[in-house]
Amino acid sequence: MSIGLPQREPDPELPDRVTIYEVGPRDGLQNEKSVVPAAVKAEFIRRLAAAGLETIETTSFVPPTWVPQLADARAVLDDLGELGRGPQRPVLVPNERGLDDALAAGVGAIAIFGSATETFARKNLNRTVDESVQMFAPVVARAKEAGLWVRAYVSMCFGDPWEGPVPVDQVVSVSQRLMDLGADQLSLGDTIGTGTTGHVRRLLDALDAGGIGVDRIGVHFHDTYGQALANTMTALRHGVTVVDASTGGLGGCPYAKSATGNLATEDLVWALDGAGVETGVDLAQLVQTSVWMAGHLGRPSPSGVVRALAGGG
């Protein structure tokens, strides 16, 4: 496969380097209708690592009845061995039981997942926002005692399909409560993809005023309305240096049907390469990995860069 690279025109408003937090193996595959075999998931992660992605969220230790597509979490990690563990291989956990399973598997990092809205908290965790924060408190405390790195996701930061636009101060309040538990990093989730660039700036300003600086923030945009890359570039110009993305643009949310795929990692890498921003990612290998996974899923990648460089994936 012949692959072209963008012409580099450095953008002085962007960071010199961006860390891509790859969510394809977890967030990308959790919404698939058919279960992807554990061996394929493990190979997917190997290929992502070989392409230069340093931080890869590998799987989720949630009850199989919640997300049956990720019921093989331990099998995937055992297949990967040390490559699947460590501080740059976080796994999602919903509660102490999930943490127990993650610790037994030898992980080095976890992520918890809260919600900025009451409706989604009930649908996703069967709890109120208050109850979910209370549930996460011992999870974070025990994880930190065990020496794990901890990330806190906040979903529905820009819009909620049941409640509509989400007030910025509501997002800030939930974010502060989760970070006060002791999390190392906050990920702002535009779960249904309704965010716009001005909204991104306003939320980041409000979080900074509330004591959560951009050095502790990652952004997680879904591309429902085609705004994920624009919103990401806005966040980067605001000082954010961690971006969640999913190879091939895979993803969605089982509990929010209007949530479509994540920002495609290839589209992000193309844009950053063109702007002179280092990511450490080999775009050619990444596109090849997308094409390979698309073959297993039986459909082409939605990533524009994959379509352009690989004839549709």
Side-chain angles (χ1 to χ4, degrees):
M1 175 177 61
S2 175
I3 193 167
L5 295 174
Q7 178 174 318
R8 283 200 163 203
E9 297 291 347
D11 186 337
E13 295 184 351
L14 294 175
D16 293 333
R17 183 176 178 87
V18 165
T19 297
I20 297 176
Y21 185 106
E22 173 63 42
V23 299
R26 197 277 302 171
D27 195 21
L29 296 180
Q30 72 176 8
N31 209 38
E32 289 297 312
K33 292 180 180 179
S34 59
V35 175
V36 176
V40 173
K41 292 173 183 168
E43 180 60 19
F44 186 34
I45 293 165
R46 289 190 189 94
R47 292 178 182 231
L48 293 172
L53 287 158
E54 296 177 353
T55 303
I56 304 171
E57 193 168 87
T58 56
T59 187
S60 176
F61 282 91
V62 301
T65 52
W66 290 16
V67 185
Q69 295 88 339
L70 300 180
D72 54 5
R74 182 61 184 265
V76 171
L77 294 185
D78 287 346
D79 189 327
L80 288 166
E82 288 306 305
L83 181 64
R85 294 170 171 85
Q88 292 178 305
R89 297 291 184 269
V91 301
L92 203 69
V93 301
N95 48 35
E96 286 195 88
R97 174 62 185 274
L99 177 64
D100 289 340
D101 292 340
L103 290 172
V107 306
I110 65 162
I112 57 174
F113 50 103
S115 171
T117 66
E118 292 290 346
T119 305
F120 191 65
R122 289 187 179 277
K123 289 182 178 292
N124 199 31
L125 291 165
N126 198 30
R127 284 170 170 78
T128 66
V129 170
D130 285 347
E131 289 168 344
S132 65
V133 173
Q134 293 168 10
M135 177 180 68
F136 291 136
V139 175
V140 176
R142 289 180 52 203
K144 297 303 290 183
E145 288 172 3
L148 272 59
W149 181 86
V150 178
R151 168 182 253 218
Y153 281 102
V154 181
S155 300
M156 301 297 174
C157 288
F158 295 88
D160 178 291
W162 301 278
E163 298 185 18
V166 181
V168 166
D169 59 353
Q170 186 172 312
V171 179
V172 172
S173 175
V174 173
S175 299
Q176 289 172 325
R177 294 174 70 185
L178 290 174
M179 293 301 282
D180 285 347
L181 296 179
D184 298 288
Q185 187 178 88
L186 175 73
S187 175
L188 302 172
D190 185 12
T191 313
I192 59 172
T194 58
T196 56
T197 56
H199 197 165
V200 172
R201 288 193 296 270
R202 191 157 69 93
L203 177 55
L204 290 172
D205 282 341
L207 286 164
D208 185 60
I212 305 175
V214 291
D215 58 316
R216 295 196 289 160
I217 290 174
V219 290
H220 185 119
F221 293 109
H222 284 237
D223 207 32
T224 314
Y225 294 90
Q227 302 302 299
L229 186 56
N231 288 336
T232 296
M233 299 303 275
T234 295
L236 295 181
R237 289 190 172 93
H238 216 79
V240 170
T241 59
V242 177
V243 179
D244 297 6
S246 176
T247 293
L250 299 173
C253 177
Y255 301 99
K257 300 305 181 185
S258 53
T260 56
N262 293 283
L263 170 63
T265 310
E266 298 86 352
D267 296 0
L268 176 62
V269 171
W270 175 275
L272 295 181
D273 277 358
V277 178
E278 295 298 327
T279 64
V281 177
D282 184 312
L283 183 58
Q285 281 191 263
L286 193 63
V287 169
Q288 290 168 354
T289 297
S290 276
V291 172
W292 173 84
M293 179 53 78
H296 282 281
L297 298 177
R299 64 175 188 276
S301 167
S303 162
V305 168
V306 173
R307 291 198 306 270
L309 297 180

